[in-house]
Amino acid sequence: MSFHSRDSDISRLNREASMRVVTVDPLTFRVLETARALFELSGGLFDVTVAPGLQRLGLLPVDEPAPLPSPAPEANFAAAELLPDCAIRFHHPAIKIDLGGIAKGFAVDRAVEVLRNRSITGGVVNAGGDLFAFGTEGHPTHIRNPFSPLRTLCRLDLTNEALASSGSYNPPSKLPMAPSAILDPTSQLPARRICAASVRAPSCILADALTKVVVLAGEGAGPLLKQFNASALFVFATGDVLVTSDWKEALPHAA
Amino acid sequence: MTDWIRWAAPVAVVASVASPGYGYAAQYLTVQEAQKLAFPTANRFVEANVIFKPADAEAIEKLSGQRVRTRGEQVWKAQNGDRLLGFFILDYVIGKHLVIDYAIALEPDGKIKQVEILQYREPYGGEIRNPDWLAQFVGKSSKDELEVNKDIINISGATLSSRHVTQGIKRVLAFYEICLKENACGR
């Protein structure tokens, strides 16, 4: 599912699916089906066709020597058709997809499935911050302060749930804060109002994808979170933090 | 109904420093900084984003002669209390391959107050950040020609960025006429 590998399903789709039907691996197709459901349920906020926008911002590599195609608002995920037998067709020449906002969560869920199938009763799979803690024991996790990388915002005890985080976190060696790689579909520019979000959800693929919706919609993501039995914390660029009420205990000085 | 709890800023907000810290993608101004520079007497910036209906985009294209490639525009109303001081519009154009983020501050009547480049990513063409070049746009409105080598000076070595930013500004001024003047756009 890598955008960077020439032989991956995603690269084949990006090169050929606007010209003909392309068949992909069943696992890739499952991720695309989830991406499709989230695209519809989030009113288009979660849209994996962000790849050209990310290329234009220098956040994804450009493969071809030719100039990038002009932005085309109608080249969104609604123009991607999912067909029987894991086949896909894009109905616009400018569509390019990147699964970077959802595939890591999916990989974590698959790894947990493998462990559970081997009768392992408890553990944690952590893919660089997108994680799933399964079993009866709570797994203590801290969420980093996006403005001050050596400090934490809160501590959670995760039990049989996933946690994912997205946004710009100030890496210790770099100032100023890098802009978020989460693009607002309307402006095609990085989200600026909310700089970081974390989501707890029953699966890591959902947690991963929902962080993007929370960064873009903020409080507006409430109904969607509730629909998926998920909850969230997010941080405004101004510094204020909003959490769903079930995170109250995790905050050190919450009233 | 989801209950949200607000926890007010215990985080230390590190002020953004304008320095090219990584590669070419230098971020010179944040949105907040650019807003304050453009409207120093404003105490509120109210989000007033516009999502285009197809007819809106067509009208803007017709008036400006420029293609509309986004689904809307990000707009803030700069206010002092309830008094409208002007509009702050965040827009972008492509230089050669990569995005140039810029902002236009408009007076309430649609004349340009200020243009600021927020982020420039390409290795060449950054001379458009020169305040003297940007000052050419002050006072312009949709009645002006806004064409490089006509009423806007080209910068040798920055031809594409000069031309594209000028075209973007022309499109945003048309957006003001069609959408902001009468508040007539969107759903």
Side-chain angles (χ1 to χ4, degrees):
Chain A
M1 292 181 222
S2 166
F3 185 88
H4 305 266
S5 157
R6 275 196 71 77
D7 304 315
S8 70
D9 282 346
I10 295 310
S11 292
R12 285 191 305 116
L13 285 173
N14 288 337
R15 281 197 305 271
E16 297 164 37
S18 58
M19 295 179 281
R20 59 182 192 83
V21 172
V22 175
T23 305
V24 297
D25 185 279
L27 291 179
T28 308
F29 196 75
R30 266 164 75 184
V31 175
L32 289 170
E33 285 178 313
T34 308
R36 182 47 176 258
L38 285 162
F39 172 77
E40 280 162 16
L41 290 167
S42 68
L45 281 181
F46 183 80
D47 191 338
V48 295
T49 60
V50 290
L54 292 171
Q55 286 178 304
R56 264 176 239 116
L57 290 166
L59 294 169
L60 274 180
V62 180
D63 197 16
E64 315 86 45
L68 294 168
S70 307
E74 63 277 12
N76 62 27
F77 204 53
E81 190 185 3
L82 271 53
L83 299 159
D85 285 331
C86 303
I88 296 116
R89 181 85 158 82
F90 292 159
H91 293 289
H92 193 289
I95 293 185
K96 274 195 220 247
I97 62 175
D98 172 54
L99 295 185
I102 186 173
K104 204 157 65 166
F106 179 71
V108 168
D109 289 336
R110 296 287 63 74
V112 170
E113 195 178 313
V114 166
L115 293 174
R116 279 176 164 156
N117 286 344
R118 309 258 164 119
S119 304
I120 293 168
T121 53
V124 180
V125 177
N126 187 338
D130 291 351
L131 63 111
F132 195 113
F134 67 99
T136 47
E137 280 191 32
H139 178 72
T141 312
H142 295 264
I143 294 183
R144 197 158 69 157
N145 182 326
F147 300 103
S148 193
L150 299 178
R151 292 169 51 194
T152 61
L153 275 184
C154 71
R155 173 204 156 118
L156 303 165
D157 282 298
L158 300 177
T159 316
N160 266 335
E161 57 188 317
L163 176 77
S165 302
S166 283
S168 3
Y169 287 86
N170 206 349
S173 57
K174 287 180 174 173
L175 279 173
M177 183 185 289
S180 163
I182 297 164
L183 302 193
D184 182 314
T186 300
S187 66
Q188 293 280 301
L189 290 176
R192 291 176 195 265
R193 193 173 73 113
I194 292 164
C195 65
S198 296
V199 171
R200 287 160 93 165
S203 69
C204 204
I205 188 174
L206 279 179
D208 196 2
L210 287 170
T211 56
K212 284 71 191 174
V213 181
V214 172
V215 167
L216 293 173
E219 310 93 303
L224 194 63
L225 289 167
K226 203 175 168 80
Q227 185 173 353
F228 285 111
N229 274 325
S231 60
L233 171 154
F234 64 90
V235 184
F236 289 103
T238 51
D240 280 6
V241 176
L242 237 59
V243 297
T244 44
S245 47
D246 57 339
W247 284 33
K248 202 175 94 174
E249 290 69 35
L251 300 172
H253 308 293
Chain B
M1 196 54 213
T2 310
D3 299 318
W4 292 96
I5 296 173
R6 181 177 289 256
W7 187 35
V11 301
V13 178
V14 177
S16 172
V17 172
S19 86
Y22 35 99
Y24 294 119
Q27 178 143 357
Y28 305 105
L29 289 170
T30 64
V31 171
Q32 284 80 21
E33 286 162 354
Q35 285 173 341
K36 285 204 186 69
L37 273 179
F39 296 101
T41 58
N43 56 20
R44 297 168 65 190
F45 289 92
V46 179
E47 274 189 39
N49 298 335
V50 175
I51 311 264
F52 298 138
K53 293 195 299 290
D56 304 330
E58 277 169 34
I60 294 169
E61 288 186 355
K62 193 155 175 222
L63 183 59
S64 65
Q66 301 302 322
R67 284 288 311 277
V68 168
R69 300 190 192 280
T70 57
R71 293 185 213 162
E73 284 289 343
Q74 277 184 288
V75 184
W76 287 260
K77 291 191 200 169
Q79 298 178 195
N80 187 303
D82 285 329
R83 189 163 62 96
L84 177 71
L85 300 174
F87 300 97
F88 183 90
I89 299 161
L90 190 57
D91 192 74
Y92 77 94
V93 293
I94 313 274
K96 190 169 186 187
H97 296 295
L98 302 183
V99 167
I100 303 169
D101 297 33
Y102 71 104
I104 302 180
L106 295 179
E107 307 282 0
D109 66 358
K111 289 215 177 71
I112 293 182
K113 193 173 194 290
Q114 192 163 313
V115 176
E116 294 287 347
I117 307 292
L118 299 185
Q119 189 160 356
Y120 194 89
R121 295 174 177 80
E122 284 170 331
Y124 301 108
E127 296 89 343
I128 55 161
R129 290 183 52 232
N130 186 319
D132 293 331
W133 191 80
L134 293 170
Q136 297 181 93
F137 296 100
V138 174
K140 298 267 185 207
S141 71
S142 63
K143 295 183 183 45
D144 289 293
E145 193 151 15
L146 282 172
E147 200 172 318
V148 167
N149 288 328
K150 292 213 174 138
D151 58 337
I152 300 294
I153 297 174
N154 186 20
I155 302 177
S156 149
T159 310
L160 285 178
S161 48
S162 314
R163 188 189 314 151
H164 294 167
V165 168
T166 303
Q167 288 169 343
I169 293 172
K170 197 174 167 85
R171 173 175 43 75
V172 171
L173 288 173
F175 159 72
Y176 166 85
E177 292 297 322
I178 305 290
C179 291
L180 293 181
K181 198 163 158 180
E182 312 290 337
N183 202 15
C185 285
R187 21 174 197 257

